[in-house]
Amino acid sequence: MIGGTISSENITWRCLLVLVSGVLMVTSSGLGQVSVIPAPQEITLANAESPFVLGSSTRLVWRSQPADAHYVAEFLSSLLAMPAAVPAGHGNEHDVILLDFDPDNWPQYLRTSSSPEAYVLHVDAQRIQIQAKTAHGAFNAAQTLRQILPATIEDCVPPAHQQLSGDSPTKTRCYDRLEVPAVTIRDAPRYAWRGLLVDTSRHFFSVDELKKFLELMALHKFNIFHWHLTDDQGWRIEIKKYPLLTERGSWREESPMRSDPKRGDRVRYGGYYTQDQVRDIVAYAAARFITVVPEIDIPGHSSAALASYPEFGNTDVPGYAPAVATRWGVTDNIFAPKETTFAFLENVFTEVMELFPSRYIHIGGDEVRAKVWCKSSAAQAFLAQQHFDSCEQIQGYFTRHIAEFLAAHGRTLVGWDELLNSNAPSTTAIMVWRTTAEEEVPPSPPTWENLMAALKSGHDVILAPDSHFYLDDEEIKSNATGDPDHDSWLTPLSHTYFFEPPLELLSAAEQQHILGMEGALWSEYIWDYNKLEYMAFPRASAISEVAWSARDHRSFADFEKRL
Ligand code: TNX
């Protein structure tokens, strides 16, 4: 038999391997079984006639276990309905899945990889061996293993919310023997930040639905769940000190009609997550090595907050009467620059920091109608006192104030690229979303002005390009929602897949400032969980690959085959 290293995009090589190894390889441990998304760095197929046979005698064992490695062991024992992991004996064990963290055994690949998430997955007739420096690396390997197992394995996965609860697995084994192809996979991510945003303000998703979504994220090695928790159309997180935020702010009187978004449907709509539910989600994500980055959108997109506590808005502007928004789009409800508002925001972010261990806390900062501050005499007095010469600079004050507050608690502020207009401190991370050029609609080539501006000012950057990664855009024309503004933007799968940052324009140092990438599921037109999954996939699979796999290692044709 033959062995050899192939790049996942190299179809010719693959065909050659199939031809040389004969039909047996396709049927018994077919190449379909090493279809992995996102594409691993390196796949070496070994003897196709000697797969590992996973059966009732196979044991899960570990060597030199780091603290959070129990999540990996629990994941595998749950997936495969196996007893809990036990310490490995000395010597070479057979008929085992070995989770090996022992630094003395690290292969060269792990030693030289700079990523803590790197792993090596080795399958031969004797054992499945997972080697990693960290539990996260081993979890990545477990997801790869999951993908190279026959797809039927997913049928015996218990509902996501039952998994990894600390209990023994609830499912029963649904296979007698599984053949796992003999293979060595060496892999590490291209970017450390691989995220998806879910907007739970415009539409609400239950805790169980979010868990199901997190499980799909884990399958794709996403590691950031960007939880958009507040917006004009609903405040969704319980804040103990300000109960009205959820009592009032989580309900809107009606929503835009699906058939005609300019009109209301006259149905009250709402929901929020209690702090216990938030902790539950954060723990569930952590068990899958996903960090939850919360977003509390300020100083704009704040109708729901100001409907609850109008005193923190620009009360002296004629006609000021904030209500939870019942239509999509941007409103004039922005926070007022005054001490009571800053105290309120500090208190809110204090509770947020208690709930979310994430280093990064997202403060939104997008689409702020600064002209409202020009109409407020109180805001004008603030502007004069600060010697500002434009109303936009008031947003900068908000950003710096909250950035300092978060930094004092060891956290880092991240916000949308509008923060660049208002002199945000370079220590803040910028999420670049505006990559669609004026007068264009996707699918369109990206424009890099905001990315370049962020990098020139020394910021770390996450790419969330609305030209390619906005999964609220329809994928195909026939899915039109009836809203002409919304329907003009189209983002097909291939367009998403072909996104690539303009490395040729960037110095090596600037390239280092790109932390990673993120897709966005804004939910104005995503009314339920089925539609959330439908809009997310398969484009999120493409995003996972763009963020994980090396640039010269990607091919859309090959991706489609693996998909
Ligand atoms: C712009 S992207 C927004 C969201 C909307 C989205 C609709 C961003 C930072 N702001 O508030 O939901 O467009 O596609």
Side-chain angles (χ1 to χ4, degrees):
M1 267 310 296
I2 59 165
T5 301
I6 57 170
S7 84
S8 59
E9 70 173 354
N10 199 328
I11 308 294
T12 326
W13 257 105
R14 287 185 154 204
C15 295
L16 205 64
L17 280 166
V18 176
L19 284 176
V20 174
S21 56
V23 179
L24 197 70
M25 185 160 172
V26 183
T27 51
S28 68
S29 55
L31 282 171
Q33 292 179 19
V34 287
S35 281
V36 179
I37 291 177
Q41 271 199 346
E42 212 180 296
I43 300 179
T44 308
L45 286 168
N47 190 340
E49 276 152 22
S50 308
F52 178 80
V53 178
L54 211 155
S56 56
S57 58
T58 309
R59 292 171 311 127
L60 189 56
V61 298
W62 52 262
R63 187 170 283 148
S64 199
Q65 202 185 25
D68 47 354
H70 64 98
Y71 289 134
V72 187
E74 282 173 25
F75 173 81
L76 284 171
S77 70
S78 171
L79 179 73
L80 299 166
M82 292 175 103
V86 294
H90 299 293
N92 281 333
E93 297 207 64
H94 289 213
D95 197 14
V96 292
I97 300 178
L98 169 62
L99 293 173
D100 186 358
F101 297 99
D102 186 350
D104 292 342
N105 296 346
W106 284 351
Q108 179 70 7
Y109 180 81
L110 277 189
R111 281 180 210 287
T112 52
S113 171
S114 57
S115 171
E117 287 192 58
Y119 68 88
V120 176
L121 170 66
H122 177 78
V123 182
D124 61 31
Q126 276 73 47
R127 72 189 68 81
I128 295 175
Q129 184 177 23
I130 287 173
Q131 290 178 294
K133 294 193 244 193
T134 64
H136 195 173
F139 188 77
N140 291 331
Q143 297 308 319
T144 297
L145 176 61
R146 177 184 187 183
Q147 290 195 19
I148 67 175
L149 291 171
T152 51
I153 194 71
E154 296 295 327
D155 296 341
C156 45
V157 176
H161 61 274
Q162 286 177 22
Q163 286 186 48
L164 309 193
S165 58
D167 305 335
S168 56
T170 47
K171 72 175 181 181
T172 47
R173 194 185 294 272
C174 68
Y175 57 91
D176 291 327
R177 61 196 298 281
L178 289 176
E179 285 193 7
V180 190
V183 69
T184 301
I185 296 179
R186 300 180 184 86
D187 199 11
R190 180 185 190 193
Y191 287 113
W193 183 305
R194 305 177 305 279
L196 289 177
L197 172 151
V198 176
D199 169 7
T200 55
S201 173
R202 276 58 175 267
H203 283 99
F204 183 72
F205 304 99
S206 72
V207 169
D208 279 350
E209 288 167 344
L210 292 183
K211 287 181 174 179
K212 207 170 162 208
F213 195 76
L214 285 163
E215 184 57 47
L216 289 169
M217 287 179 64
L219 174 67
H220 289 83
K221 304 186 176 82
F222 281 107
N223 63 356
I224 300 281
F225 174 58
H226 176 166
W227 196 356
H228 188 74
L229 280 160
T230 72
D231 215 303
D232 294 303
Q233 293 81 7
W235 180 282
R236 306 275 176 238
I237 177 173
E238 177 187 24
I239 300 294
K240 302 271 190 202
K241 204 175 172 87
Y242 300 106
L244 296 183
L245 284 172
T246 42
E247 254 168 61
R248 289 188 196 155
S250 74
W251 287 93
R252 59 178 180 252
E253 284 311 315
E254 59 178 11
S255 308
M257 258 170 79
R258 291 182 198 180
S259 54
D260 179 3
K262 301 277 176 289
R263 293 170 51 202
D265 66 2
R266 302 195 181 167
V267 181
R268 220 167 119 76
Y269 184 94
Y272 69 92
Y273 307 98
T274 65
Q275 294 204 347
D276 279 345
Q277 289 176 320
V278 169
R279 274 187 281 269
D280 186 22
I281 290 280
V282 168
Y284 186 91
R288 286 154 183 77
F289 299 88
I290 296 172
T291 301
V292 184
V293 175
E295 179 183 347
I296 306 294
D297 203 345
I298 62 154
H301 284 283
S302 295
S303 299
L306 292 171
S308 316
Y309 294 95
E311 60 270 37
F312 302 130
N314 299 281
T315 50
D316 60 351
V317 172
Y320 177 71
V324 183
T326 57
R327 297 293 186 275
W328 312 135
V330 183
T331 77
D332 277 354
N333 291 315
I334 65 177
F335 281 104
K338 52 190 175 193
E339 282 317 310
T340 50
T341 304
F342 295 124
F344 164 79
L345 293 176
E346 286 182 11
N347 291 331
V348 168
F349 279 107
T350 298
E351 291 193 33
V352 167
M353 283 189 285
E354 280 162 15
L355 291 167
F356 295 92
S358 165
R359 170 182 161 193
Y360 291 94
I361 304 286
H362 205 301
I363 67 146
D366 54 319
E367 301 176 320
V368 179
R369 292 212 170 144
K371 67 174 181 355
V372 175
W373 288 320
C374 300
K375 292 190 214 156
S376 154
S377 33
Q380 286 306 299
F382 179 84
L383 181 145
Q385 182 203 337
Q386 297 294 326
H387 308 294
F388 292 157
D389 47 29
S390 82
C391 296
E392 281 72 22
Q393 286 174 302
I394 295 176
Q395 181 175 1
Y397 187 94
F398 272 89
T399 309
R400 285 188 295 278
H401 187 98
I402 303 298
E404 277 168 28
F405 181 72
L406 295 177
H409 294 82
R411 309 299 181 98
T412 301
L413 183 150
V414 51
W416 298 110
D417 58 28
E418 284 93 332
L419 297 193
L420 296 168
N421 306 340
S422 59
N423 201 11
S426 64
T427 49
T428 59
I430 299 294
M431 201 163 261
V432 174
W433 70 281
R434 293 175 302 165
T435 58
T436 304
E438 291 285 331
E439 313 291 330
E440 293 265 14
V441 293
S444 55
T447 169
W448 299 119
E449 278 167 38
N450 292 310
L451 172 67
M452 299 314 275
L455 292 173
K456 295 289 170 237
S457 315
H459 294 279
D460 279 345
V461 161
I462 299 109
L463 284 158
D466 69 350
S467 56
H468 291 66
F469 283 6
Y470 268 35
L471 306 184
D472 53 321
D473 296 351
E474 302 301 328
E475 194 181 340
I476 45 174
K477 261 211 168 77
S478 58
N479 279 351
T481 58
D483 182 344
D485 292 343
H486 176 77
D487 290 341
S488 59
W489 290 50
L490 211 61
T491 302
L493 174 65
S494 56
H495 186 65
T496 299
Y497 190 86
F498 286 124
F499 179 76
E500 177 59 26
L503 300 185
E504 60 288 351
L505 303 179
L506 308 177
S507 68
E510 285 168 340
Q511 291 182 28
Q512 290 302 314
H513 280 286
I514 300 181
L515 302 183
M517 301 181 181
E518 198 174 282
L521 286 146
W522 298 104
S523 65
E524 289 95 331
Y525 298 88
I526 301 182
W527 18 82
D528 59 31
Y529 181 74
N530 277 346
K531 189 158 185 205
L532 186 74
E533 263 192 26
Y534 179 78
M535 295 302 282
F537 295 100
R539 289 176 297 179
S541 312
I543 294 174
S544 79
E545 185 148 312
V546 181
W548 178 283
S549 311
R551 144 146 101 168
D552 60 357
H553 207 72
R554 297 199 307 265
S555 135
F556 183 63
D558 187 51
F559 169 76
E560 275 191 304
K561 281 210 170 67
R562 280 177 283 122
L563 193 61

